[in-house]
Amino acid sequence: MNNLTTGDIVNRVWNYAHVLRDEGVGYGDYVEQLTYLIFLKMSSERAEGGKEGESLAAERWAKLIELDGSDLEMEYRHTLESLGSQKGTLGMIFRKAQNKIQDPSKLERLISMINKESWSSLSIDVKGEIYEGLLQKGAESEKKGAGQYFTPRPIIEAIVDVMQPKPMQKIADPACGTGGFLTVAHDYVAFDIDRATGERTPKALTKKENRFLKNEAISGNDISDSVARLCAMNLYLHGIGAEECPISTSDALAKEVGSNKVDMVLANPPFGKKSSVTIINDSTGKLEKEKLTYTREDFWAETSNKQLNFVQHIGNMLRVDGKDSGKAAVVLPDNVLFEGGAGETIRKELLTRFNLHTILRLPTGIFYAQGVKANVLFFDAKPASKEAWTKSVWVYDYRTNVHKTLKTNKLAWSDFKEFIELYKADDQKARVATWAEVQEADGGPGPDGRWREYSYDEIIARDKTNLDIKWLKDESLEDTENLQPPAVIASEIVELLTAALEEFKSVEEALVEEDED
């Protein structure tokens, strides 16, 4: 396996998914089952190398490779139950784990395939890349599985590149999914990375910094047990959290942050406006008609919109310490920028309590959920003040006249090179707009006019403090000569129709399950 590229290894392991698919094992479940088995094999290898604390998993693996038929299936089930009762990362990975491979012969073939390889001989980075490659294939293949919580890697890398996490900083994601933001942030601190080639060189961190990075710097939370399990394994394969699991499973919005503040939050909270609860910021009980409510004294407005509540929650997660306070980058759908009522209140508070200095408008066609329009909000925590901390908001419009798809014109890190350069992470006061009024007077800004500054007074004067700001002429609406080539249009239509058919299929399957129940 050592002579193969990461892509070769991902494809080799992924090919078996098609066999399991015939047995009704979804791609998301397949990645999950691989998680268990590869981890057991790695534990066995580490135990053979004399590493302490690996004996239980190693013993279980030794039994699995000797059995077949119903005995193998029974032993595998007992193995999952036993490991799920353990503490730390091991317990998180196997928490509530179930065997989804009902055919013992296929389980035996999968175990045999994994057992032939020496996983511990691979570097931490390669193992993590293999695992993330499998997660991405799951997202691509199953829109309603991994795709629900998989953020495109180029977006994550661009965000981390401008946020520049540093040694000894605490970095968190309250809706961590499979851990994409956390692993990329970890790698940014640990390596000098050439995004164009993928080459990485270890940074000269001190022992204290390395120990902190592996055991204290990274933390995440997800409401789903199965997703948190995937994340825990992802982090483990990146060498994160070996001593104590950095991932928790809970509803992040259910309780106040308290004193556990962090230096940086990187997140893409789940899309979808409504929640099963409404957040209230007092105990008056005026929303008693709700079956379940949260009381959050630290929230600025009450709403059942999940994204708006995550904005408030993330703001409260950030450490406030003078000039060196915490900062956040959050991927959010368009409705957060213009929704009235609580949305307007929250935007005004965000502008006042924090320095909301940057908005990145993302193109459509880049998420596995079709038609999503999203943005990245960048804001810094600040101490209490009577005056608004936000003096101006810089907007980079990488949506207007940008056409991206999941297959024919994929998003790449290079697409964000201009944004990263214009962001001026080291000195935001040195920012220079690429749009100017004189350009508009001469017939409109050119293709480089995507970067524009709006003063606080201009923002606050907009109806409902609307942050959904557009100024570039949309050529697709006004210039038919600039239409995409027919092949590209046809490909986009096929993607949309395929997604719609998948949605109909999932509804049909749900109805069948209800009838069977």
Side-chain angles (χ1 to χ4, degrees):
M1 181 181 278
N2 291 342
N3 295 325
L4 299 176
T5 66
T6 300
D8 292 335
I9 301 171
V10 170
N11 289 329
R12 172 189 288 190
V13 180
W14 183 252
N15 283 338
Y16 199 74
H18 300 294
V19 179
L20 293 179
R21 186 67 169 174
D22 294 337
E23 295 299 310
V25 180
Y27 290 118
D29 289 335
Y30 170 66
V31 174
E32 189 176 71
Q33 299 301 309
L34 278 175
T35 295
Y36 305 150
L37 296 172
I38 292 175
F39 182 86
L40 287 171
K41 177 59 163 61
M42 288 169 54
S43 294
S44 176
E45 293 173 2
R46 288 195 298 271
E48 291 175 0
K51 187 172 179 60
E52 297 181 1
E54 304 289 348
S55 58
L56 177 59
E59 290 172 6
R60 293 292 183 175
W61 182 257
K63 290 182 180 180
L64 290 177
I65 60 178
E66 294 175 354
L67 299 174
D68 57 20
S70 59
D71 291 338
L72 173 61
E73 184 181 4
M74 183 178 297
E75 178 62 28
Y76 183 44
R77 180 159 44 85
H78 290 327
T79 295
L80 297 180
E81 292 174 356
S82 176
L83 295 174
S85 64
Q86 302 300 304
K87 296 181 179 180
T89 300
L90 189 65
M92 170 59 73
I93 290 173
F94 290 94
R95 182 181 179 184
K96 297 181 181 180
Q98 294 180 339
N99 176 24
K100 301 292 181 65
I101 307 173
Q102 302 304 318
D103 185 342
S105 65
K106 289 185 171 58
L107 176 60
E108 183 180 0
R109 286 173 60 190
L110 191 56
I111 290 174
S112 176
M113 180 189 74
I114 291 172
N115 193 52
K116 290 178 181 178
E117 310 295 353
S118 178
W119 293 86
S120 291
S121 64
L122 298 174
S123 72
I124 289 290
D125 308 318
V126 173
K127 283 182 289 194
E129 288 179 25
I130 292 170
Y131 186 70
E132 290 199 350
L134 291 171
L135 290 175
Q136 181 162 359
K137 280 187 173 290
E140 293 170 350
S141 302
E142 192 166 275
K143 306 292 192 300
K144 292 186 71 60
Q148 290 181 320
Y149 48 79
F150 195 91
T151 308
R153 176 51 59 93
I155 296 176
I156 295 177
E157 291 176 343
I159 290 173
V160 170
D161 285 352
V162 298
M163 293 294 284
Q164 299 184 345
K166 296 176 176 58
M168 307 304 293
Q169 287 188 332
K170 291 186 176 182
I171 304 159
D173 184 348
C176 61
T178 56
F181 274 111
L182 299 178
T183 57
V184 173
H186 165 274
D187 290 354
Y188 184 94
V189 177
F191 301 95
D192 286 316
I193 303 173
D194 186 331
R195 296 291 187 206
T197 64
E199 293 183 6
R200 51 180 64 194
T201 305
K203 291 180 179 177
L205 301 181
T206 66
K207 290 184 178 180
K208 180 180 180 181
E209 289 171 342
N210 262 315
R211 187 165 53 250
F212 185 88
L213 179 61
K214 301 300 181 186
N215 300 310
E216 299 181 57
I218 303 298
S219 64
N221 177 82
D222 201 277
I223 197 170
S224 166
D225 281 317
S226 60
V227 176
R229 180 161 50 242
L230 293 174
C231 182
M233 185 60 173
N234 194 8
L235 296 182
Y236 185 88
L237 291 177
H238 279 78
I240 305 169
E243 296 181 4
E244 184 175 347
C245 184
I247 303 301
S248 59
T249 304
S250 66
D251 184 345
L253 301 175
K255 59 181 179 180
E256 296 182 12
V257 177
S259 59
N260 190 25
K261 307 289 186 177
V262 300
D263 299 285
M264 185 176 296
V265 174
L266 306 170
N268 181 2
F271 290 176
K273 291 176 59 177
K274 295 298 180 182
S275 174
S276 59
V277 298
T278 295
I279 308 297
I280 60 176
N281 60 4
D282 57 43
S283 56
T284 61
K286 65 179 180 179
L287 293 176
E288 289 180 345
K289 64 180 181 179
E290 296 287 338
K291 292 183 179 180
L292 178 64
T293 60
Y294 300 147
T295 300
R296 290 285 300 260
E297 298 288 347
D298 59 340
F299 275 8
W300 327 317
E302 49 192 62
T303 174
S304 60
N305 182 309
K306 288 187 294 184
Q307 288 81 40
L308 290 173
N309 285 323
F310 265 107
V311 170
Q312 299 180 88
H313 179 71
I314 289 170
N316 288 319
M317 290 176 65
L318 299 176
R319 179 177 58 82
V320 178
D321 185 20
K323 295 181 179 180
D324 191 29
S325 295
K327 54 185 182 178
V330 191
V331 181
L332 295 162
D334 275 12
N335 70 278
V336 171
L337 302 185
F338 60 74
E339 188 170 296
E344 180 180 0
T345 301
I346 290 169
R347 286 191 295 277
K348 287 181 177 179
E349 290 294 322
L350 189 62
L351 291 165
T352 301
R353 300 184 183 210
F354 301 83
N355 177 18
L356 173 62
H357 52 79
T358 311
I359 297 175
L360 169 61
R361 288 168 53 82
L362 296 172
T364 57
I366 59 174
F367 291 95
Y368 294 101
Q370 293 292 326
V372 170
K373 293 183 178 181
N375 317 267
V376 187
L377 271 60
F378 298 84
F379 54 92
D380 301 341
K382 295 292 181 180
S385 173
K386 293 182 180 180
E387 297 184 2
W389 279 104
T390 301
K391 305 306 178 184
S392 65
V393 178
W394 288 79
V395 182
Y396 188 86
D397 183 355
Y398 191 59
R399 181 184 305 171
T400 304
N401 303 321
V402 176
H403 305 280
K404 294 292 177 180
T405 67
L406 293 175
K407 295 180 180 179
T408 57
N409 188 22
K410 291 184 178 181
L411 191 71
W413 174 85
S414 58
D415 293 323
F416 295 105
K417 283 186 67 175
E418 182 185 60
F419 168 72
I420 294 170
E421 293 170 0
L422 293 171
Y423 188 95
K424 301 294 182 185
D426 295 324
D427 183 11
Q428 292 183 10
K429 293 182 179 179
R431 291 177 171 180
V432 177
T434 59
W435 178 94
E437 290 184 11
V438 64
Q439 289 179 300
E440 187 175 65
D442 291 340
D448 61 342
R450 297 188 177 277
W451 185 231
R452 182 173 179 178
E453 180 183 20
Y454 287 85
S455 70
Y456 171 81
D457 291 336
E458 288 178 300
I459 297 291
I460 208 71
R462 292 171 60 87
D463 182 40
K464 299 178 182 177
T465 318
N466 189 333
L467 292 172
D468 185 27
I469 301 172
K470 302 179 285 286
W471 67 92
L472 296 174
K473 182 174 67 174
D474 191 336
E475 296 174 353
S476 65
L477 298 178
E478 301 182 28
D479 188 354
T480 57
E481 293 182 1
N482 289 317
L483 287 176
Q484 289 285 78
V488 174
I489 296 175
S491 177
E492 292 179 354
I493 292 173
V494 169
E495 285 189 28
L496 290 171
L497 289 175
T498 301
L501 288 173
E502 288 291 332
E503 293 290 332
F504 283 126
K505 184 177 180 181
S506 65
V507 171
E508 180 185 17
E509 291 173 352
L511 292 174
V512 171
E513 290 179 2
E514 290 180 3
D515 291 340
E516 291 176 350
D517 294 339

